[in-house]
Structures are given as structure tokens and as C-alpha cells.
Amino acid sequence: METDIQTLGEPGFAGDDKVLPFDVDGLDVRGRTVQLGPMIDTILARHSYPEPVARLLAEAIALTVLLGTSLKFEGKLIVQTKGDGPVDLLVADFSTPGNLRAYARFDEERLAAAQAAGTTSPAELLGTGVLAFTIDQGEYMQRYQGIVEMKGETLEAMAETYFRQSEQIPTLVRLAVAELFDRDSDGNPRQSWRAGGIVVQFLPQSPDRMRHPDLPGGDAPEGVEELLHNDDDGWAEAKALVSTVQPGELTDPEVGAERLLYRLFHERGAKVYPPVPVFDRCSCSRERLGEVLRGFTAEEISNSVEDGEITVQCEFCSTAYRFDPSEFGG
């Protein structure tokens, strides 16, 4: 609704764990920005991830909530990396309107070796593989999945490659993670995580403004420099502005989402919309897991019994569900 739109500088701040949508009419760009605090700290602390793994998963979470909160239907967005590096799997699963769960899988020995060798960039930890974006609109709708190779040194660069190749939407992604150290009220050391991000896309009303000459083909004669395609002036300005964003601005609560947007775009008439809260909420349940177990054979049920019961632990939220084998004919 028009009454929900605020001009930057008006009272009211989104705060932590809320995605703030915005658009900049003067540049024909729109986007979302977020600062994650208690939510992401809870998710990462639950699994006690090593520092490099925690940073990677935090970036994946920030990216997923930025994109997931743009869904206009009831459904899911799943962002997943799968590679041959020490961190072979990242999964961030967003369910509308604002529920998020996430999980990372890694090889402890290979990760320790990478840390000892100092080879812990995102590209080195993830290795060769794919980045997948899956949109699930429910039981009666076909899933959509876009997959790209994990090319680039950072997760944000990999995401930009996805939008360029699969969606053909000029997109800028900036992600940041901060590990904070302070003391609690009793003077004991305390560590916590924060993350933030901004996604900006060029979406003009006129489709002609998005058309560019073909990208270089890579077959120019040796010594001849190929000309890159020219960006629309509005998009070029937006990229230049977003390139000035520092990692600390995306995570520092003293900056905040609105102050960052004001710094970047106030001269171009930026508008913000009501923030969308996001929550650490897993979709697992005893009923769902029970249905899965009912599909097991008698032998599989027997092999799952330990100390007289079947225990299933959710990889995402670490909740343990215990079942009596007799429920499944065991």
C-alpha cells in the first residue's frame, strides 16, 4: 500500500532480523538489505561450527533471507552449495513468510588441514561444484531449480553469476559476517555472531533499458583488447554507489539498514517499505519423521533401534525425536 512507503530519514528503524525492501526510482533499481543478530547467532551456536564454516553459513543465510522474503506466494526458497571442498554442503532453507533453517556439512580433518595451510577462502573451502537455487511453490506446483557452477572467490560473486546467467537480471550482492567478543554481566567472555547483506537489482519499467550488446566472445586476435558492453547510466551509478559499502556497515547495529540506504541513495529518492521479520524456525516435526519411518522396511526399522528406541535428530535444529519401535511394527 502507498501509505506503507517511507522516505528515508523518516522515524522508524527495522532493527535486527528484519529484511528491509527498498527501491530507488531515480536509478530504476530495487533491492533488500538486512542485519541479522540474535537469529543467526542462535543458529551458528547450536552447532558450534568452526569459525570458517560459521562465516560461510552465515553468508548463505543472509543471501537466502534477502531473496526468500521477495517471494510473493506461499512456498520455499532453498539455497544450496555442493562441492568437493572441506565444506562440501551448505543449505539454507527459507519458508514464507519468514522462517529460516540452515545447516553446514564439513570434513573435520580436511578443514583442519586447510586452516593450518591458510587456504580458507570461500572458494577454497567449497571447492569445485554447484550453487543451486530451488523454488518450491507447494505440492501441486512444479519445482523450479537454477544451477550454476561455483565460479568466483566469494559466495556473493557466485550468486551474481547465477543472476547473470540464469535470471539475466543485473544484480549486485554484498554480504558480510562479524564475530563479536565482549563480556556478559558477570564479566565472563562472550562471543556472538552478526551478519548482513544487500541485494540490488536493475529492473527498469522499460525492457529496452536492460538490453546490452553481446558480452565479449573471447576470440579477439592476440594483442587486441575486446570492448566490454556498456551499462545503462542508472545501473552504472547504482553499482558505483554500492561498491562503496564497507563490511562493517552491513553488520554494525549503530549504522543500521536505513542509515546505510540513506547514505547510498538519498539523493536519488530512495523509498523503503515495511520490514519483513525472519525467524529461526525449523519445519521438522515428530509427525513428519514418523511418516518417514513408516516407509521403512522391517529390517530397516530393526537396524535403527538402539537401546530399545529409535532416535532421529534433525540436522538443522538438532532436536532429537525418540520413537518406540512398536509404532512401526518393530
Side-chain angles (χ1 to χ4, degrees):
M1 294 177 60
E2 191 69 23
T3 55
D4 290 332
I5 300 173
Q6 286 187 313
T7 301
L8 285 176
E10 291 182 8
F13 294 93
D16 283 346
D17 302 337
K18 294 176 183 175
V19 176
L20 188 68
F22 66 90
D23 63 42
V24 188
D25 290 339
L27 299 177
D28 270 336
V29 301
R30 67 188 65 175
R32 290 169 180 262
T33 186
V34 69
Q35 284 197 355
L36 299 173
M39 185 202 77
I40 204 159
D41 187 52
T42 300
I43 291 174
L44 299 181
R46 181 182 292 132
H47 291 278
S48 299
Y49 290 115
E51 185 263 348
V53 180
R55 288 185 176 276
L56 266 182
L57 187 59
E59 288 191 359
I61 290 170
L63 175 64
T64 303
V65 299
L66 285 168
L67 302 179
T69 51
S70 68
L71 297 179
K72 305 301 183 185
F73 51 83
E74 186 176 340
K76 279 188 175 186
L77 169 69
I78 303 168
V79 176
Q80 177 176 327
T81 67
K82 191 172 184 180
D84 59 6
V87 184
D88 67 320
L89 181 70
L90 295 176
V91 182
D93 182 327
F94 178 89
S95 298
T96 57
N99 298 335
L100 188 284
R101 62 180 190 167
Y103 170 72
R105 187 176 66 198
F106 61 97
D107 184 297
E108 292 187 14
E109 291 186 5
R110 294 183 63 197
L111 178 65
Q115 289 179 284
T119 54
T120 57
S121 71
E124 291 166 329
L125 290 177
L126 295 172
T128 302
V130 296
L131 170 64
F133 293 79
T134 303
I135 295 177
D136 187 343
Q137 300 184 59
E139 183 179 357
Y140 302 105
M141 299 291 288
Q142 185 173 359
R143 276 190 170 197
Y144 164 79
Q145 188 173 65
I147 300 175
V148 293
E149 289 185 60
M150 290 191 294
K151 290 184 177 180
E153 290 301 310
T154 63
L155 190 59
E156 59 192 30
M158 298 173 195
E160 288 175 358
T161 298
Y162 165 78
F163 279 102
R164 184 171 62 251
Q165 295 183 358
S166 298
E167 303 295 327
Q168 298 184 345
I169 298 174
T171 301
L172 270 178
V173 180
R174 293 293 177 267
L175 304 170
V177 179
E179 188 178 11
L180 306 183
F181 298 91
D182 59 7
R183 294 184 180 275
D184 61 22
S185 57
D186 296 325
N188 299 313
R190 178 175 59 187
Q191 177 262 0
S192 61
W193 289 98
R194 293 185 62 82
I198 184 170
V199 170
V200 182
Q201 296 185 310
F202 182 54
L203 294 167
Q205 294 185 354
S206 169
D208 290 337
R209 289 191 64 190
M210 289 186 69
R211 294 177 182 169
H212 300 298
D214 290 338
L215 293 173
D219 54 358
E222 185 176 352
V224 176
E225 189 174 321
E226 291 186 286
L227 296 177
L228 296 175
H229 71 295
N230 294 320
D231 278 329
D232 177 276
D233 288 345
W235 180 234
E237 182 177 339
K239 289 201 301 182
L241 291 170
V242 175
S243 70
T244 67
V245 174
Q246 299 299 310
E249 292 181 287
L250 293 172
T251 58
D252 187 347
E254 296 299 318
V255 175
E258 288 85 355
R259 286 193 177 96
L260 174 61
L261 293 178
Y262 184 82
R263 180 181 78 73
L264 293 176
F265 300 122
H266 73 281
E267 292 183 355
R268 285 297 195 163
K271 294 179 292 189
V272 295
Y273 298 83
V276 182
V278 291
F279 305 94
D280 165 33
R281 288 179 181 164
C282 191
S283 58
C284 70
S285 69
R286 182 179 179 83
E287 291 73 20
R288 288 187 179 183
L289 291 171
E291 287 300 315
V292 173
L293 290 172
R294 288 184 182 89
F296 281 21
T297 65
E299 183 180 0
E300 288 172 328
I301 290 294
S302 178
N303 292 336
S304 301
V305 176
E306 188 172 337
D307 296 328
E309 62 183 8
I310 299 174
T311 302
V312 181
Q313 184 165 334
C314 177
E315 290 183 325
F316 288 94
C317 68
S318 297
T319 301
Y321 297 89
R322 291 177 172 80
F323 298 88
D324 187 327
S326 64
E327 295 181 48
F328 315 103

